Amino acid sequence: MRLYRAMLESDDRSTRAAPPPDATTFNTVLGSVLEAKEPYTWLLRDAASVGITPDARTLALMLKNQPDLAATNRVWALARRRALPRSKAVWHHLIEAHLRNKRAGRAAALLGLMERDGYACDDTLSHNLHLRGLVGSGQGVRGEIALHIGNS
């Protein structure tokens, strides 16, 4: 963390111990902090203090590492209020959170919202998430899987 602090604190380029932090720096530190299950709001404040706003990678990291669905939904609500950028990966992490938290039946609806948001569900991961949702919720699994495999 000393290197991170040096990046954050040095204003004079001639005496700077390290380059200034950018979104990648904050996302790298955020990933480590989240994996360690440590509080991370201080890091978001640090980023804001130097004019760096959360990006789609930040949002994906936060969604991926929430301890439960309530926390995931709080992050999603915050992202929507602040109009943070989304990506297919962000949507996938939101769906994964629902699957992890025994809400498999929401996968298909979330994939539909993802498509409405402009991200096609034509990739393998989207299909796999849909299949996991079907299996996890017990909704006509065999027929649905055969339908998806037949349409591939």
Side-chain angles (χ1 to χ4, degrees):
M1 292 304 278
R2 278 188 292 184
L3 177 58
Y4 165 74
R5 286 284 160 212
M7 292 173 77
L8 192 62
E9 293 170 358
S10 180
D11 287 332
D12 181 4
R13 279 193 144 335
S14 64
T15 61
R16 186 181 291 275
D22 60 11
T24 302
T25 306
F26 286 103
N27 288 337
T28 299
V29 176
L30 179 63
S32 297
V33 169
L34 287 167
E35 285 178 18
K37 303 205 183 319
E38 296 290 331
Y40 62 91
T41 54
W42 63 270
L43 185 60
L44 298 177
R45 283 191 298 273
D46 279 0
S49 76
V50 293
I52 296 173
T53 58
D55 59 12
R57 178 72 180 138
T58 310
L59 183 52
L61 285 165
M62 289 169 43
L63 288 169
K64 177 182 175 184
N65 288 286
Q66 295 307 304
D68 55 43
L69 197 52
T72 299
N73 288 335
R74 283 191 299 275
V75 168
W76 187 254
L78 172 72
R80 290 188 63 187
R81 277 194 311 276
R82 292 190 179 177
L84 297 182
R86 293 188 293 259
S87 66
K88 189 178 273 194
V90 165
W91 279 101
H92 286 164
H93 285 300
L94 179 65
I95 296 164
E96 284 278 358
H98 280 78
L99 293 168
R100 269 194 317 275
N101 288 282
K102 311 293 187 243
R103 295 294 310 271
R106 296 279 304 136
L110 290 169
L111 286 163
L113 290 171
M114 182 177 104
E115 281 198 320
R116 214 169 69 194
D117 201 26
Y119 302 99
C121 294
D122 57 356
D123 59 291
T124 302
L125 181 54
S126 293
H127 282 259
N128 290 345
L129 290 170
H130 188 194
L131 291 173
R132 286 176 56 202
L134 291 168
V135 170
S137 65
Q139 300 175 31
V141 176
R142 289 190 179 145
E144 286 288 334
I145 290 174
L147 176 66
H148 283 281
I149 292 171
N151 288 333
S152 296

